[in-house]
Amino acid sequence: MQNEAPAAQIKVPQVTVLDAGGQYCHLIARKIRDLGVFAEVRPSETAASDLAGRKGLIISGGPNSVYDTGSPTVDPAIFRTNQPVLGICYGQQLMAHLLGGVVQKGDNGEYGPATLELNGGPDTPLFAGIRDHQQIWMNHRDLVVELPPGFSNIGATGTCAVAAMAAPSRRLYSVQFHPEVVHTTEGKRILANFVFDICGCVKDWDPRHRVPLVEDQIRRTAGNRNVFFFVSGGVDSTVAFTLCLRALGAERVRGIYVDTGLMREGETEFVNRLFDALGAGTVTIESAADQFLTPLRAVCDPEQKRRIIGEEFVRLQERIIESRHLMDGHWILGQGTIYPDTIESGGTEKAAIIKTHHNRVAGIQQLIAAQRIIEPLSDFYKDEVREIGRELGIAEDVLERHPFPGPGLAIRCLCAEHDEPVRSTPDGFLIPVRSVGVQGDERSYKAVLALDRFPAIEARLEDEATALVNRTRGVNRVVARVAGHAPLAGMRSSSSVLSVERLNRLRRADSIVRRISHESGFDKTVWQFPVVLIPVGAGERPDSVVLRPVHSVDGMTAQSVGMGEQLLRRMAAELMQLDCVCAVFYDVTHKPPGTIEWE
Ligand code: XMP
């Protein structure tokens, strides 16, 4: 790979995003480039004279208050050049502050979705074509409470009186919310209105140029240091690793794959073949099953499982880093973190409780703080990562792999502390295991309701499941029984741990499901297809298998997916032949109220 300058470097950007320290700053530039307009990111204090020729400027959000000493600012001259300026979040507060308005320091703030009411907004070019009552996404503490002279208020929410303001004759606009995130439904339209209608930009950017740009960024971040990765065989780390290989050359990139003993059947062999094809000799395999399985053996609580796995992973990483002298300043850690991972882990406290992402555990945070991390995909969503992978020539069977959770089969193999019978209720059978759900903003950990009905021939079981969960206290998930060696009323949960024997059982079941769903093409029609082992059965068959195929866009919400009768019967018949498997269930719960994984 030659180090020639990417096309982007010799182009003059039409839009500059002035970085005021916000976590979404790069995302703004990327969203503008997705619109076909070349945009760059520069420090917020960049002199107005250096920005001459830009068709538009955007001031990003940021974590500070305009009243903090040393908080980011902009060259006030940018407001006098007649270049259009859009302030976003902190950018709006800074505009108000510098131009004579008043910003009020907030104590609590507003985080998450809100509804934007347009105050005559459709007449404002920024909101052209946008209906009133739009979902927007807020993430701020301070507020503009008094407009600068010459500005009008063009949007409000229930809790934020100045959600947007404008001085169209001076071509100055600002919004308190984030148009660059997907949760702002018309965000793309608002940015398009700004760049095309207000700034007069023309399309000059092909999104395919992002590969040389990312490679260039990798070279700059790495400097003369080498990069090592803990690869997983998943799409994200494979694409990130390949980008680094291309940017830095095989000599400077190393990968380590850790077999935690929690992987699917054949996974280690798959990863071996995959990385041999990408760059022979660059990836080594570390077998560490005992290190993970021993502390997990007696643990039932899902968050405790995740914590143990996260901690063991960091311990192992540190051991590898030390033994291979990766800490000597010549090496930095590469990760396949993608954009939603960073939001989920850096978002609200609650989000972190629902699911702590293993890319953001304490040890990794320290490396981030020491600027010894490179995450080439941290601005991208999954679909974009797949597109980049395609451009890099990565095989389709790798790119189309379903997401697989970092803690692996540990969170798909449920354990129980006690024996307890399945109970019959007027609505169905109460299965005595607890699974994770999301109800409201709360994480729930409740029992499962089983219906003795064959899912593929029962219409609209998913709708029934929603109604059942809403009216049945203590339940967050509904399954339908596909097949069983014992009647539901005769089944019970039995005290069980995360043993190698049970993990192997789950591995076999998962492998059968994956083979049949691949042969039939069903895997292409779903976003993810977890297979779960629950310690519920009868006699010599203490466990059951749950099938959980879902549709989703980003994993944040999901719909249960139906399967044809013939296919389901074939899958169940093979699963029922496994030793110790008593029944097969089909999860008919959407997310919410049930999460995709059971734990
Ligand atoms: P849930 O179960 O929260 O899952 O609906 C949403 C998506 O996240 C994946 N997931 C995880 N991924 N570490 C991961 O790397 C985890 O601890 C974890 N928990 C859930 C899940 O597979 C789905 O794609």
Side-chain angles (χ1 to χ4, degrees), residues 306 355 357-358 403 405-407 411 527-528 555 591 595-597:
R306 284 194 173 82
K355 193 172 59 173
H357 202 281
H358 60 285
I411 56 162
W527 192 76
Q528 198 175 9
K591 172 185 178 179
T595 48
I596 295 176
E597 306 288 349

Coordinates of all heavy atoms in Angstrom, one line a residue, residues 306 355 357-358 403 405-407 411 527-528 555 591 595-597, ligand 1:
R306 N -20.6 -10.8 33.3 CA -20.0 -9.8 32.4 C -18.8 -9.2 33.1 O -17.7 -8.9 32.5 CB -20.9 -8.7 32.0 CG -21.9 -9.1 30.9 CD -22.6 -7.9 30.3 NE -23.4 -8.3 29.2 CZ -24.7 -8.8 29.3 NH1 -25.2 -8.9 30.5 NH2 -25.4 -9.1 28.3
K355 N -25.9 -2.9 30.1 CA -24.9 -3.6 29.4 C -23.6 -2.9 29.4 O -23.4 -1.8 28.9 CB -25.4 -3.7 28.0 CG -24.7 -4.7 27.1 CD -25.4 -4.9 25.8 CE -25.5 -3.6 25.1 NZ -26.0 -3.6 23.7
H357 N -20.1 -2.4 28.1 CA -19.4 -2.9 26.9 C -17.9 -3.2 27.2 O -17.2 -2.5 27.9 CB -19.4 -1.9 25.8 CG -19.2 -2.5 24.5 ND1 -18.0 -2.8 24.0 CD2 -20.1 -2.9 23.5 CE1 -18.1 -3.4 22.8 NE2 -19.3 -3.5 22.5
H358 N -17.5 -4.4 26.8 CA -16.1 -4.8 27.1 C -15.0 -4.0 26.5 O -13.9 -4.0 27.0 CB -16.0 -6.3 26.8 CG -16.1 -6.5 25.3 ND1 -17.3 -6.6 24.7 CD2 -15.2 -6.7 24.3 CE1 -17.2 -6.8 23.4 NE2 -15.9 -6.9 23.2
P403 N -24.0 -10.3 14.7 CA -23.2 -9.8 15.9 C -23.2 -11.0 16.9 O -24.1 -11.8 17.0 CB -24.1 -8.7 16.4 CG -25.1 -8.3 15.3 CD -25.2 -9.5 14.4
P405 N -22.1 -11.5 21.0 CA -21.6 -10.7 22.2 C -20.3 -11.1 22.7 O -19.9 -12.2 22.7 CB -22.7 -11.0 23.3 CG -23.3 -12.3 22.8 CD -23.2 -12.4 21.3
G406 N -19.5 -10.1 23.2 CA -18.2 -10.3 23.7 C -18.1 -11.3 24.8 O -17.3 -12.2 24.8
P407 N -19.1 -11.4 25.8 CA -19.0 -12.4 26.8 C -19.4 -13.8 26.3 O -19.4 -14.8 27.0 CB -20.1 -12.0 27.8 CG -20.4 -10.5 27.5 CD -20.1 -10.4 26.0
I411 N -23.4 -15.8 28.4 CA -24.6 -15.1 28.7 C -25.8 -15.7 27.8 O -26.9 -15.2 27.8 CB -24.6 -13.6 28.4 CG1 -24.1 -13.2 27.0 CG2 -23.7 -12.9 29.4 CD1 -24.4 -11.8 26.5
W527 N -31.3 -10.6 11.7 CA -30.2 -9.7 12.1 C -29.3 -10.5 13.0 O -28.1 -10.3 13.0 CB -30.8 -8.5 12.7 CG -29.8 -7.4 13.0 CD1 -29.3 -6.5 12.0 CD2 -29.2 -7.0 14.2 NE1 -28.5 -5.7 12.6 CE2 -28.4 -6.0 13.9 CE3 -29.3 -7.5 15.5 CZ2 -27.6 -5.3 14.9 CZ3 -28.5 -6.9 16.5 CH2 -27.7 -5.8 16.2
Q528 N -29.9 -11.3 13.8 CA -29.2 -12.1 14.8 C -30.0 -13.3 15.2 O -31.2 -13.2 15.2 CB -28.9 -11.2 16.0 CG -27.7 -11.7 16.9 CD -27.4 -10.7 18.0 OE1 -28.1 -9.8 18.3 NE2 -26.3 -11.0 18.8
G555 N -29.8 -3.1 17.1 CA -29.7 -3.8 18.4 C -30.4 -3.1 19.5 O -30.7 -3.7 20.5
K591 N -38.2 -6.6 21.5 CA -37.4 -5.8 22.4 C -37.8 -4.4 22.2 O -37.6 -3.9 21.1 CB -36.0 -6.0 22.1 CG -35.1 -5.0 22.9 CD -33.6 -5.0 22.6 CE -32.9 -4.0 23.4 NZ -31.4 -4.0 23.2
T595 N -35.0 -8.2 26.1 CA -33.8 -7.9 25.3 C -33.5 -9.0 24.3 O -34.2 -10.0 24.3 CB -32.5 -7.8 26.3 OG1 -32.5 -8.9 27.1 CG2 -32.6 -6.5 27.1
I596 N -32.5 -8.8 23.4 CA -32.3 -9.8 22.4 C -31.7 -11.0 23.1 O -32.1 -12.1 22.9 CB -31.3 -9.2 21.3 CG1 -32.0 -8.1 20.6 CG2 -30.8 -10.3 20.4 CD1 -31.1 -7.4 19.5
E597 N -30.6 -10.8 23.8 CA -30.0 -11.9 24.6 C -30.9 -12.2 25.8 O -31.7 -11.3 26.2 CB -28.6 -11.5 25.1 CG -27.7 -11.1 24.0 CD -27.2 -12.2 23.1 OE1 -27.4 -13.3 23.4 OE2 -26.6 -11.9 22.1
Ligands
XMP1 P1 -29.5 -6.9 24.2 O1 -29.5 -8.3 24.7 O2 -29.1 -5.9 25.1 O3 -28.5 -6.9 23.0 O4 -30.9 -6.6 23.5 C1 -28.3 -5.9 22.0 C2 -27.1 -6.3 21.2 O5 -25.9 -6.3 22.0 C3 -25.3 -7.5 22.1 N1 -24.8 -7.7 23.4 C4 -23.5 -7.6 23.8 N2 -22.4 -7.4 23.1 N3 -21.1 -7.4 25.0 C5 -21.2 -7.3 23.7 O6 -20.2 -7.1 23.0 C6 -22.2 -7.7 25.8 O7 -22.1 -7.8 27.1 C7 -23.5 -7.8 25.2 N4 -24.7 -8.0 25.6 C8 -25.5 -7.9 24.5 C9 -26.4 -8.5 21.7 O8 -25.8 -9.7 21.2 C10 -27.1 -7.7 20.7 O9 -26.5 -7.8 19.4

